[in-house]
Amino acid sequence: MNTQTKITIVTDPILLEHDTGGGEHPEIPERLAVIRDRLEDDHLAPFLNYSQPQPASREQLTYFHTEAWLNRFEEAVLSGRTYIDHTDNQVGYESFNIAMMSAGCGISGIDLLNREHAENVFCLTRPPGHHAEPNMPFGFCFFNNCVVAARYFQEQGRQRVCVFDFDAHHGNGIQTAFEEDADTLYVSIHEHPSFSYPGTGWGEEHGTGDGAGTIFNLPLRPGAGDKEVLALLDSTIESAIAGFNPQAIIIAAGFDGHTRDDMSGLNYSTELYEQLGRRIKQWEQQFCPGSLLSILEGGYEMGSLADSVQAYLNGLVGG
Ligand SMILES: [Zn+2]
């Protein structure tokens, strides 16, 4: 193991208080708790630092989101609503402030990279973000944490930003943000939209206008696993990233493609996430040293979620 590489985990206890109703909803506070417990007990523990974020400001959220959505979200929780638009999007009284904190994890992580020379940052956060659209919540997501972080990286001088999304689902909100933008690259591996939520992310879509050629949707058939992902990494994905030559990389780190997680039909092993961590670390060193940020997205089966995050971080530190 490379003992020089440390990872800063950006997280806050308030993130556990986003209340999704306590019923059958899969996006539960325990997700963060099991990861935290695992990391504290693991041999990785000496390589991890912890840092508490600041919430994203309204100005930072409106890099992507509309003021109308911010106002609607805030009014809904303050009036005691238990979900917004769809029962997937469960909220409690504090959910607006907690979602601001969740988006703030990426911004605070970028500040750590830029100002404190943190080597590597993993945002251990919820609610997740990659389905959130400019004016509405979607699929457990309220603010698009990856898009807000990408825009903040750009504001801080990293113009060409790549988001690589290995969550089992397509990040429709990230594609919305980036598909007409020449300065961003979105690469997503996900279960094919014919079979999987949210039904977006078709391979024929490559971006439009100035953004033509900056979207790479790589849908996989149900049952696909490590072999298919590694083949894509070796071919399409590495050439797309090399061609773009990013100044910063954000990882939409979702772990619901694991074979034990029934939120998708994908068959990823725990070891695949370690391989992903290793490859991603190599991209950072090759293209943008000191400008890699990982943000937790999905992952809903507690045992495989803890296993997979542990494996991913092990890959990032060079284990
Ligand atoms: Zn997902």
Side-chain angles (χ1 to χ4, degrees):
M1 183 180 289
N2 174 2
T3 56
Q4 301 304 305
T5 302
K6 293 217 173 185
I7 298 177
T8 302
I9 309 286
V10 177
T11 194
D12 192 290
I14 199 176
L15 300 166
L16 278 71
E17 293 175 27
H18 167 53
D19 181 0
T20 51
E24 296 295 302
H25 201 286
E27 203 289 283
I28 53 176
E30 189 185 359
R31 298 177 59 238
L32 300 193
V34 295
I35 296 169
R36 182 95 191 225
D37 288 350
R38 175 67 62 85
L39 297 179
E40 283 174 356
D41 288 345
D42 188 63
H43 74 282
L44 274 169
F47 304 100
L48 304 180
N49 301 315
Y50 288 85
S51 180
Q52 284 187 275
Q54 296 291 315
S57 67
R58 294 180 81 97
E59 183 190 354
Q60 289 162 341
L61 292 167
T62 53
Y63 292 157
F64 178 55
H65 295 287
T66 61
E67 279 284 354
W69 164 231
L70 268 65
N71 293 336
R72 186 163 72 95
F73 184 7
E74 189 169 27
E75 286 164 13
V77 301
L78 293 178
S79 66
R81 293 281 302 274
T82 57
Y83 67 89
I84 304 175
D85 295 351
H86 188 284
T87 52
D88 278 352
N89 311 312
Q90 293 276 343
V91 290
Y93 190 74
E94 290 295 332
S95 292
F96 180 77
N97 291 330
I98 297 168
M100 289 179 98
M101 186 67 85
S102 189
C105 288
I107 288 168
S108 296
I110 291 167
D111 286 342
L112 288 168
L113 293 168
N114 287 343
R115 299 177 194 164
E116 312 288 331
H117 305 292
E119 294 171 80
N120 214 319
V121 171
F122 182 86
C123 299
L124 179 56
T125 193
R126 63 184 286 277
H130 73 158
H131 296 306
E133 294 281 353
N135 58 355
M136 59 189 275
F138 209 64
F140 320 157
C141 302
F142 299 88
F143 294 137
N144 203 308
N145 303 330
C146 285
V147 172
V148 171
R151 296 307 185 208
Y152 187 67
F153 252 137
Q154 291 178 317
E155 188 194 82
Q156 298 288 308
R158 309 291 207 286
Q159 198 57 30
R160 290 191 314 280
V161 180
C162 167
V163 175
F164 175 51
D165 185 338
F166 61 72
D167 188 277
H169 305 100
H170 178 244
N172 54 286
I174 301 176
Q175 180 163 328
T176 296
F178 289 176
E179 64 190 346
E180 296 181 23
D181 183 351
D183 287 332
T184 51
L185 176 72
Y186 180 52
V187 180
S188 177
I189 312 179
H190 48 264
E191 192 172 19
H192 196 283
S194 294
F195 305 96
S196 181
Y197 186 89
T200 60
W202 298 82
E204 299 77 15
E205 296 165 349
H206 296 291
T208 60
D210 289 347
T214 66
I215 301 288
F216 286 80
N217 286 322
L218 304 167
L220 297 175
R221 295 266 155 188
D226 299 10
K227 185 162 64 75
E228 288 81 0
V229 172
L230 293 170
L232 286 170
L233 281 171
D234 287 337
S235 54
T236 314
I237 296 173
E238 297 210 338
S239 68
I241 292 174
F244 181 70
N245 192 20
Q247 294 170 306
I249 298 173
I250 296 172
I251 307 300
F255 299 90
D256 42 8
H258 195 285
T259 189
R260 299 204 306 270
D261 193 316
D262 64 10
M263 290 289 274
S264 82
L266 299 174
N267 263 330
Y268 299 170
S269 74
T270 302
E271 291 70 33
L272 178 66
Y273 294 105
E274 182 160 345
Q275 294 265 9
L276 284 165
R278 280 208 198 102
R279 299 291 186 104
I280 287 164
K281 184 69 186 168
Q282 286 168 7
W283 300 341
E284 180 234 355
Q285 290 176 337
Q286 184 176 353
F287 299 111
C288 51
S291 296
L292 169 64
L293 180 78
S294 302
I295 302 178
L296 181 66
E297 292 286 350
Y300 304 97
E301 196 284 314
M302 297 303 135
S304 63
L305 177 61
D307 291 347
S308 302
V309 172
Q310 177 185 28
Y312 176 62
L313 297 181
N314 207 37
L316 285 181
V317 300

